[in-house]
Amino acid sequence: LENILIKNIDIITADKDNEFISNGQILISGGIIEFAGKGEIPENLLPDKIIDGKNKLAMPGLINAHTHSGMTLLRNYANDLALEDWLYKKIFPAEARIEEEDIYWGTLLAIIEMIKSGTTCFADMYLHMDQTAKAVCESGIRANLSRSLLKFSSDDRKPIDDSELCIKYHKDWHGRENGRLIVSLEVHSVYLFDLQSLKNAAELAKKLGIGIQIHILETVTERTESIKKYGMDSAEICAECGIFDVPTVAAHCVHMSENDYYILKSKNVSVAHNPTSNLKLGSGIANIPYMMKCGINVALGTDGTASNNNLNMFEEMHLAALIHKGYNMNPQLINAKQTINMATVNGAKAVGFGDSVGVIKNGMKADIIILDMDKPHLTPVNDPFSAVVYSAQASDVDTVIVDGRILMEGRRLINIDEELVKYKVREISKRLLNG
Ligand SMILES: [Zn+2]
């Protein structure tokens, strides 16, 4: 690993009160941020590479706290449908035709898209997760990958226990690549599981010492069906079954009761807010300002490209900062700093990397993106936080560094063949969707 010096650069740290450093230096050595701030860099560390920070802005890499990266294969396939019709009538039948290696290519495409839009870490749940892990290892991105302990037969979707393979998945991949890849357990949702499987999932996660990724209370239907069936909503059931006794990131949380917020807060559950997906599927708008007031850790996610239909975290930040103001007729809700925190430091906490990434400060791992601010829509910058949230575009991301390694520079990817990956995914998608 080379020593990299980023000199004379403005820095959004996402640390403490999201401190801003103007015209500072960042020195990266052995994958670690050795120095970030104003003043002279330590003399004993000579840089192998110098990046000039003039008209540029460094910030922590964005963290996509909820996605299904292999779903790029189904991008723009089923649209303008409610979640239940979208999932059962369109997505599940198409997914039944997906073969293992398809996921490798679909995930690589997702990773290309994520790197090019400033995402350095993502949390994922999907099919054939060994292929996802392979793509993560090869590409250099950071990830928390979850595998389900229930497998659903493709014909009648009857659940089959797959926990042995989860144990193997954990053994094969957890902590790989200098800890760049970690593993958790997927519990898709309460509505696809039964009480015993939920309890089994909680037990297995505890035994392995890992977290859980889950969808919770995405739609009104989920809420009413669950209350009809169990007399409790999905959040209450998760608390009952022990799911929340391990570090959990819960996607959506749109249709919550007062008691549900209390449960999430007291159990330290992180929420992944997916504003685009919730709007596109007509699911509703999660009460994020209230969650923040309750002290719940709120992160941001894109969800899969079949319900978004891209993996652009700049769009998610933009929407997250706007919809709650409009919906509540209150422009003071969720300011630009808070929005950036959701996409960085809160995301790192949510997906199990809170000790190592998400902020720019000495001793953290170097997951950093550099934005080119020399653009008409970013001139004059005036307030860098507002510039990032309200003006910036994903295409302003110039350089991406993960674990001290440059993955993109001058918008050119260093180690993935973008043309080959696009070609492969076009071919696979034709086979899946015309089947
Ligand atoms: Zn999802």
Side-chain angles (χ1 to χ4, degrees):
L1 278 175
E2 37 179 23
N3 290 343
I4 304 167
L5 172 65
I6 311 167
K7 64 170 195 179
N8 306 325
I9 192 155
D10 292 342
I11 307 165
I12 285 178
T13 62
D15 192 23
K16 294 181 194 118
D17 188 30
N18 205 337
E19 191 196 349
F20 177 74
I21 300 163
S22 109
N23 200 23
Q25 330 280 338
I26 301 172
L27 181 69
I28 302 164
S29 176
I32 305 291
I33 300 169
E34 289 292 337
F35 180 84
K38 283 183 108 52
E40 295 303 307
I41 58 160
E43 270 177 20
N44 55 337
L45 290 168
L46 283 177
D48 306 302
K49 181 180 177 68
I50 295 175
I51 296 172
D52 182 9
K54 186 166 185 276
N55 285 328
K56 294 200 166 73
L57 173 80
M59 62 182 286
L62 304 177
I63 293 172
N64 188 343
H66 179 71
T67 190
H68 316 275
S69 55
M71 272 191 138
T72 51
L73 302 170
L74 308 178
R75 195 195 305 266
N76 297 329
Y77 162 58
N79 302 282
D80 310 326
L81 295 167
L83 176 93
E84 289 77 14
D85 284 344
W86 173 82
L87 192 59
Y88 288 93
K89 291 184 185 158
K90 304 293 280 188
I91 297 300
F92 284 158
E95 282 179 346
R97 291 191 284 272
I98 292 179
E99 287 165 22
E100 245 188 273
E101 210 200 67
D102 299 343
I103 294 296
Y104 170 74
W105 294 106
T107 304
L108 270 186
L109 180 70
I111 290 172
I112 291 172
E113 188 186 351
M114 286 192 266
I115 293 171
K116 292 187 101 168
S117 52
T119 293
T120 54
C121 175
F122 67 103
D124 200 278
M125 56 156 89
Y126 205 48
L127 315 164
H128 308 303
M129 293 301 289
D130 284 308
Q131 300 292 321
T132 312
K134 194 176 150 215
V136 166
C137 288
E138 287 176 15
S139 66
I141 202 165
R142 188 180 300 281
N144 177 342
L145 305 181
S146 64
R147 192 189 185 288
S148 178
L149 88 165
L150 285 191
K151 191 169 78 184
F152 298 92
S153 66
S154 50
D155 38 345
D156 59 357
R157 300 206 57 77
K158 214 170 108 58
I160 305 157
D161 184 87
D162 223 3
S163 47
E164 282 310 311
L165 285 175
C166 288
I167 296 169
K168 184 176 187 308
Y169 191 72
H170 174 259
K171 188 165 159 277
D172 288 348
W173 300 108
H174 187 66
R176 283 275 297 268
E177 308 292 321
N178 191 34
R180 184 157 63 67
L181 169 55
I182 61 171
V183 161
S184 57
L185 210 59
E186 169 192 338
V187 176
H188 178 277
S189 54
V190 167
Y191 58 88
L192 287 188
F193 275 53
D194 53 49
L195 293 183
Q196 191 54 51
S197 315
L198 290 168
K199 284 177 192 156
N200 294 348
E203 279 310 310
L204 183 59
K206 261 179 239 171
K207 195 175 113 190
L208 296 174
I210 58 177
I212 285 177
Q213 298 183 32
I214 187 170
H215 297 103
I216 288 185
L217 294 167
E218 182 171 0
T219 63
V220 175
T221 310
E222 177 181 345
R223 177 173 191 85
T224 49
E225 292 289 310
S226 156
I227 290 173
K228 210 159 60 186
K229 195 164 161 193
Y230 299 109
M232 289 182 284
D233 72 30
S234 313
E236 292 164 332
I237 293 165
C238 285
E240 276 289 302
C241 294
I243 297 286
F244 293 160
D245 295 341
V246 302
T248 300
V249 52
H252 308 307
C253 301
V254 179
H255 298 281
M256 304 264 286
S257 70
E258 186 62 39
N259 187 41
D260 295 337
Y261 295 110
Y262 172 78
I263 291 172
L264 261 53
K265 171 60 189 157
S266 59
K267 291 286 187 180
N268 266 321
V269 175
S270 289
V271 171
H273 177 36
N274 302 266
T276 303
S277 175
N278 295 156
L279 289 173
K280 183 161 184 282
L281 289 166
S283 301
I285 297 175
N287 195 346
I288 299 301
Y290 188 67
M291 289 185 208
M292 287 166 67
K293 214 171 112 190
C294 295
I296 294 168
N297 183 48
V298 180
L300 271 185
T302 58
D303 216 346
T305 50
S307 66
N308 183 306
N309 298 350
N310 61 38
L311 302 171
N312 178 349
M313 286 287 289
F314 280 86
E315 270 186 14
E316 297 308 318
M317 284 197 285
H318 193 88
L319 261 185
L322 296 186
I323 54 173
H324 305 287
K325 294 176 170 66
Y327 182 72
N328 296 289
M329 293 188 279
N330 179 356
Q332 294 185 314
L333 294 175
I334 312 193
N335 62 35
K337 269 191 184 186
Q338 289 170 318
T339 309
I340 290 172
N341 284 348
M342 282 162 69
T344 56
V345 58
N346 298 6
K349 267 184 225 158
V351 306
F353 289 106
D355 295 336
S356 50
V357 303
V359 302
I360 296 183
K361 74 168 177 186
N362 300 7
M364 298 300 271
K365 291 189 174 179
D367 286 15
I368 295 170
I369 60 175
I370 300 174
L371 275 58
D372 180 2
M373 304 300 277
D374 191 18
K375 300 281 180 74
H377 60 274
L378 294 169
T379 304
V381 171
N382 284 330
D383 172 33
F385 299 96
S386 298
V388 166
V389 173
Y390 301 119
S391 306
Q393 304 294 315
S395 52
D396 299 329
V397 177
D398 178 85
T399 298
V400 173
I401 300 170
V402 178
D403 220 21
R405 203 168 263 121
I406 298 176
L407 302 186
M408 181 173 84
E409 190 172 19
R411 288 204 66 68
R412 202 178 63 82
L413 291 169
I414 306 298
N415 59 350
I416 315 177
D417 184 345
E418 180 176 338
E419 291 308 314
L420 172 68
V421 174
K422 284 191 292 196
Y423 168 80
K424 286 280 188 182
V425 169
R426 285 187 191 114
E427 293 299 305
I428 293 165
S429 184
K430 259 185 243 165
R431 194 193 80 232
L432 293 179
L433 303 184
N434 299 330

